[in-house]
């Protein structure tokens, strides 16, 4: 049975098909209970907008770090807490085809990327 892959609406990671979801696969939107509880907040939307604005300002072939979006949305005291939400926002934008996530100049799978990442406009 070929199952179409999908991404979590909250974190943007790839959702792995499970046999227990066979009857309601079309209704599955979240990869975990934590993502279901977290959802997508207004701050998450602000981070998405910030990433797109920073990339537009920076230029077509340039990249940004998720910390730049976190600093733009947060304050001097709170931006570090926004780092993982900024990475989630970038993964959601990858799922929509608006950006790409890179490491060492190469596009990587956002679901499995570990360590420092850069974000660029999709080519």
């Amino acid at each position: 049975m070929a199952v179409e892959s999908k991404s979590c609406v909250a974190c943007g990671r790839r959702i792995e098909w499970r046999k227990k979801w066979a009857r309601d696969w079309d209704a599955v939107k979240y990869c975990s209970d934590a993502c279901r509880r977290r959802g997508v907040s207004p701050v998450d939307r602000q981070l998405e907008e910030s990433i797109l604005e920073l990339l537009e300002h920076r230029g077509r072939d340039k990249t940004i770090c998720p910390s730049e979006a976190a600093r733009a949305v947060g304050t001097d005291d709170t931006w570090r807490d926004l780092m993982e939400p900024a990475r989630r926002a970038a993964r959601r934008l990858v799922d929509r085809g608006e950006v790409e996530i890179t490491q060492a100049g190469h596009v990587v799978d956002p679901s499995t990327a570990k360590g420092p990442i850069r974000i660029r406009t999709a080519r």
Side-chain angles (χ1 to χ4, degrees):
M1 176 178 148
V3 177
E4 180 182 331
S5 65
K6 57 171 66 179
S7 296
C8 177
V9 297
C11 72
R13 286 193 171 100
R14 186 176 47 252
I15 299 176
E16 299 296 331
W17 186 85
R18 298 178 187 161
K19 188 174 181 178
K20 71 178 186 177
W21 290 339
R23 278 192 245 154
D24 61 350
W25 177 244
D26 293 335
V28 174
K29 295 181 181 179
Y30 301 98
C31 66
S32 66
D33 289 335
C35 281
R36 184 178 300 107
R37 281 190 302 273
R38 184 182 314 113
V40 180
S41 71
V43 171
D44 293 327
R45 295 290 180 213
Q46 281 183 300
L47 287 164
E48 289 175 10
E49 292 172 16
S50 177
I51 289 169
L52 294 174
E53 288 173 8
L54 287 165
L55 286 171
E56 183 179 330
H57 179 72
R58 183 77 40 98
R60 180 106 178 115
D61 294 329
K62 303 295 183 185
T63 64
I64 63 164
C65 179
S67 66
E68 294 176 59
R71 289 173 198 264
V73 172
T75 63
D76 288 342
D77 298 333
T78 64
W79 73 267
R80 281 185 174 80
D81 295 333
L82 294 176
M83 281 300 296
E84 183 53 34
R87 289 173 69 103
R88 287 194 303 263
R91 287 192 299 264
R92 286 191 303 273
L93 291 170
V94 166
D95 188 47
R96 294 198 309 247
E98 297 184 52
V99 302
E100 296 172 332
I101 292 179
T102 64
Q103 287 182 317
H106 302 287
V107 176
V108 295
D109 179 0
S111 294
T112 58
K114 303 277 190 231
I117 62 169
R118 303 288 294 176
I119 306 164
R120 72 178 184 203
T121 304
R123 294 184 175 164

